[in-house]
Amino acid sequence: MTRTMRPLPGLALCAALTVVSSWIGPARAQDGASPVPPATAIPGAPSAKGDAMPGAAKATVLVDSLKNPDLWRSYRSRFVTEAGRVVDTANGLISHSEGQGYGMLLAVAANDRVTFERLWGWTRANLMVRSDELMAWRWEPGKRPAVADLNNASDGDVLVAWALTEAAEAWDEPSYRVAARRMAVEVARKTILFKDKNGALLLPAVSGFSAAERADGPLINLSYWVFPAFARLPIVAPEFDWAALTASGLNLIRRSRFGTAKLPTEWISLKGDEPRPADGFPPLFSYNAIRIPLYMVWAGVGRPSDYEPFVALWSGPDRERLPIVDTADGRTVESLSESGYTALSALLLCDRKGTPLPDGFGRPQGNENYYPTTLHLLSMVALQMRNLSCPAR
């Protein structure tokens, strides 16, 4: 799901689709290199339960990785309705596929199957309204229809498929496994270009971002590369080369070092020989891109040099806020002041430099919005799953 600078996080694909609307054409499925079994097929047993991708740190299971039950109860009471809708409090109380995916992942991490089923039930009933197994990206309360745009957001689909995979593994529930497979297969068939010159590409949505639909296409957003998910989706859809996505994502991160700050922008054009900031979008390292190092650390992938631009940015004297950077001139144009955002820098610096965690890392604030609070809890889960030890200073 894509974010814009104003209003605060949660606007999903709205801004991107506004810019690309003149290029949007009919959705076209992207087939993998080999024939794909029907999406309704029951997946076979994985060759090795929970295998990680080559080059990734050895994964631990997600279930029970959120160790403080009070934190989950607080999150659930603030952001999850009784019906199972995750509410984006900074963006008109909308819901979106990304938020449902994050909520489902955190429910597994908290070993809360009852809430997981509520979340999944609401998602099925309200976002799975397309003609395939993918989700509409946005649901808006008070509007009829609540889903005005049937396009998907591939990061939301990846997150939900991953959450279903983890739930199936944790609770041995076949229906979750089948649902995870159906969604993962559709993601692979319709949003991944396995034979692109840049390696496997994850398009942001089924429609609107390919070379046929944009003058500067294909267009990508590197925050959609959910690296820890790619290590787990082979459990339910082993016929697809998910490792190729990990390899391509890392390669594109290395090549997308724009300006003096050497940071990727939110939206990147792959039209020419080298990546460049996409047309029509501010060349910012912002709300989306701050998740790139989160997913890298969580999966334990990449070379030390791959982390250097993020470490340099987040090692500055102002550690209480994360900067939004204009890559054209390296200037900080705004700062993210809610403390939940700084959990990302704390996780990264712990992993890369052994920096002690700040005192507040284990205590998310009870008055912050959905997105920074979610990133804070995800950072805590990643720290636990990677077994990183950086005692608070």
Side-chain angles (χ1 to χ4, degrees):
M1 191 203 59
T2 305
R3 305 180 182 282
T4 56
M5 283 190 62
R6 296 206 182 279
L8 281 174
L11 268 189
L13 284 173
C14 173
L17 291 176
T18 298
V19 175
V20 305
S21 60
S22 61
W23 289 290
I24 291 180
R28 297 185 300 170
Q30 304 293 339
D31 291 331
S34 58
V36 181
T40 55
I42 296 177
S47 57
K49 185 173 180 178
D51 278 356
M53 290 295 183
K58 183 174 177 60
T60 57
V61 295
L62 178 67
V63 68
D64 274 333
S65 58
L66 188 59
K67 294 297 186 181
N68 187 330
D70 292 336
L71 295 181
W72 170 242
R73 282 193 289 268
S74 174
Y75 184 93
R76 186 179 60 195
S77 67
R78 295 178 60 217
F79 304 117
V80 181
T81 70
E82 284 299 315
R85 181 169 79 89
V86 178
V87 177
D88 188 337
T89 55
N91 190 35
L93 305 183
I94 70 164
S95 295
H96 32 70
S97 57
E98 172 210 275
Q100 296 302 120
Y102 284 149
M104 290 165 66
L105 286 167
L106 290 172
V108 177
N111 200 9
D112 182 353
R113 184 170 179 177
V114 172
T115 302
F116 180 92
E117 182 56 37
R118 294 204 332 256
L119 290 159
W120 175 224
W122 188 92
T123 303
R124 290 198 311 272
N126 294 277
L127 296 183
M128 299 194 73
V129 294
R130 294 166 48 91
S131 61
D132 55 19
E133 299 295 327
L134 304 178
M135 296 174 289
W137 66 272
R138 172 184 172 117
W139 187 96
E140 191 169 2
K143 297 290 183 69
R144 293 295 179 268
V147 173
D149 182 359
L150 289 178
N151 209 5
N152 71 310
S154 58
D155 65 333
D157 297 319
V158 167
L159 290 166
V160 170
W162 176 26
L164 286 163
T165 301
E166 298 290 356
E169 294 290 284
W171 302 315
D172 194 24
E173 174 51 60
S175 68
Y176 296 156
R177 190 169 290 111
V178 171
R181 172 170 174 76
R182 289 174 176 172
M183 191 170 291
V185 166
E186 292 285 74
V187 167
R189 293 172 69 180
K190 294 188 174 181
T191 69
I192 300 175
L193 307 175
F194 282 101
K195 296 183 178 180
D196 188 83
K197 65 181 180 180
N198 295 286
L201 296 185
L202 179 64
L203 295 178
V206 170
S207 297
F209 296 89
S210 70
E213 296 165 303
R214 275 193 64 99
D216 60 345
L219 209 68
I220 63 166
N221 188 316
L222 285 171
S223 73
Y224 283 42
W225 262 256
V226 188
F227 293 116
F230 303 152
R232 300 290 280 170
L233 291 179
I235 294 172
V236 295
E239 68 271 36
F240 294 104
D241 189 1
W242 301 99
L245 274 181
T246 295
S248 67
L250 293 172
N251 179 261
L252 287 164
I253 289 168
R254 291 165 193 149
R255 295 166 58 203
S256 300
R257 295 187 171 187
F258 305 132
T260 58
K262 306 298 182 185
L263 294 166
T265 54
E266 304 282 271
W267 295 99
I268 296 170
S269 166
L270 298 179
K271 174 71 172 180
D273 293 334
E274 290 298 327
R276 64 177 178 83
D279 297 339
F281 295 92
L284 300 178
F285 175 83
S286 186
Y287 295 119
N288 291 280
I290 59 176
R291 295 176 296 183
I292 296 171
L294 165 65
Y295 294 147
M296 292 170 66
V297 171
W298 197 342
V301 296
R303 307 167 185 164
S305 59
D306 297 336
Y307 294 84
E308 287 175 358
F310 309 112
V311 170
L313 179 67
W314 290 348
S315 296
D318 188 357
R319 297 283 296 278
E320 303 305 316
R321 303 187 298 175
L322 291 194
I324 294 174
V325 177
D326 186 333
T327 64
D329 56 16
R331 179 173 52 93
T332 295
V333 299
E334 189 178 341
S335 294
L336 303 173
S337 59
E338 289 181 276
S339 64
Y341 291 115
T342 60
L344 299 175
S345 57
L347 173 69
L348 174 68
L349 297 178
C350 169
D351 177 58
R352 293 291 98 192
K353 301 172 69 174
T355 303
L357 298 169
D359 290 338
F361 183 84
R363 300 188 303 275
Q365 298 298 305
N367 59 350
E368 296 190 343
N369 283 303
Y370 147 81
Y371 188 48
T373 305
T374 299
L375 293 178
H376 198 149
L377 265 62
L378 294 174
S379 297
M380 295 177 68
V381 168
L383 186 87
Q384 179 66 34
M385 291 181 67
R386 285 290 313 284
N387 197 28
L388 300 175
S389 179
C390 299
R393 54 179 180 264

